[in-house]
């Protein structure tokens, strides 16, 4: 009887121990499950908050790069401001060209009647300068007046000449008519009146001289190149 009871007691104890182990294992699994659930929940929370954090980071980056506006807008504005200031500064800082710093020559334009010529003014001063308006040309005596300008040839932007660069002007001397009354000149003067830059004496490109008609002559404005149409008069 004692042996039976002892075996029963041992079996009961073993059963109890096994049950305890089972409960403990279940408790661990529960804990593990809860732990994993908590981790998953935390991960989900982080994932849900990530877009906001990213947005916040983007907002922070924008704020740091702009201060009071978007980085793109400020950068574009700064570029425009810089470009505009640079152009204005360059134009404003360029002194006016003077006859002393220019080499002014004349060349007859092609054509059987040679009714037109081209004036060239090369910058020999060694520094950039601005050519304003049109040349004040006196083909004859001062009483005959200057050659009038043609408005359509006026450039829209200032004419800035770098060292060695030239400005040009188309000049009509006459219409070349057979019955046209002309006078011959072998030299004439070009004054940079608008610049207050002095006067140059220009010799005729033709040995026989130039035939001019005070009733028909005209001049264009200084430009860096002769343009089709605007200087065709």
């Amino acid at each position: 009887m004692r042996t039976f009871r002892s075996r029963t007691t041992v079996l009961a104890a073993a059963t109890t121990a096994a049950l305890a182990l089972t409960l403990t294992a279940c408790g661990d699994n529960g804990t593990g499950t809860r732990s994993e659930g908590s981790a998953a929940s935390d991960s989900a929370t982080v994932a849900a908050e990530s877009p906001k954090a990213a947005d916040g980071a983007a907002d922070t980056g924008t704020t740091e790069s702009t201060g009071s506006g978007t980085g793109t807008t400020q950068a574009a504005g700064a570029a425009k401001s810089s470009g505009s200031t640079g152009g204005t500064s360059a134009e404003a800082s360029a002194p006016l060209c003077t006859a002393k710093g220019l080499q002014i020559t004349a060349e007859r334009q092609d054509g059987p009647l040679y009714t037109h010529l081209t004036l060239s003014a090369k910058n020999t001063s060694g520094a950039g300068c601005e050519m304003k308006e049109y040349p004040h040309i006196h083909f004859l005596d001062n009483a005959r007046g200057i050659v009038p300008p043609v408005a359509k040839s006026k450039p829209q932007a200032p004419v800035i000449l770098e060292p060695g660069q030239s400005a040009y002007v188309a000049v009509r001397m006459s219409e070349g008519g057979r019955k046209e009354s002309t006078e011959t000149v072998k030299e004439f003067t070009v004054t940079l009146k608008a610049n207050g830059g002095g006067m140059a004496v220009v010799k005729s490109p033709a040995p026989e001289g130039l035939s001019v008609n005070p009733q028909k002559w005209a001049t264009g404005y200084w430009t860096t190149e002769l343009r089709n149409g605007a200087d065709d008069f």
Side-chain angles (χ1 to χ4, degrees), residues 199-213:
M199 180 184 70
V201 177
V202 181
K203 292 184 177 181
S204 166
E208 68 275 16
L210 303 171
S211 297
V212 299
N213 181 354

Side-chain angles (χ1 to χ4, degrees), residues 106 128 146 152 208 228:
I146 64 170
K152 68 177 182 178
E208 68 275 16
N228 293 331

Side-chain angles (χ1 to χ4, degrees), residues 37-38 87 106 111 114 120 144 150 167:
S38 175
Y114 295 108
S120 300
R144 305 289 187 95
V150 176

Side-chain angles (χ1 to χ4, degrees), residues 31-76:
T31 304
T33 302
R34 286 194 299 271
S35 176
E36 293 174 357
S38 175
S41 176
D42 293 341
S43 298
T45 302
V46 172
E49 292 178 351
S50 294
K52 294 182 180 180
D55 291 343
D59 292 342
T60 302
T62 302
T63 302
E64 291 177 353
S65 64
T66 64
S68 61
T70 63
T72 303
T73 301
Q74 185 174 2

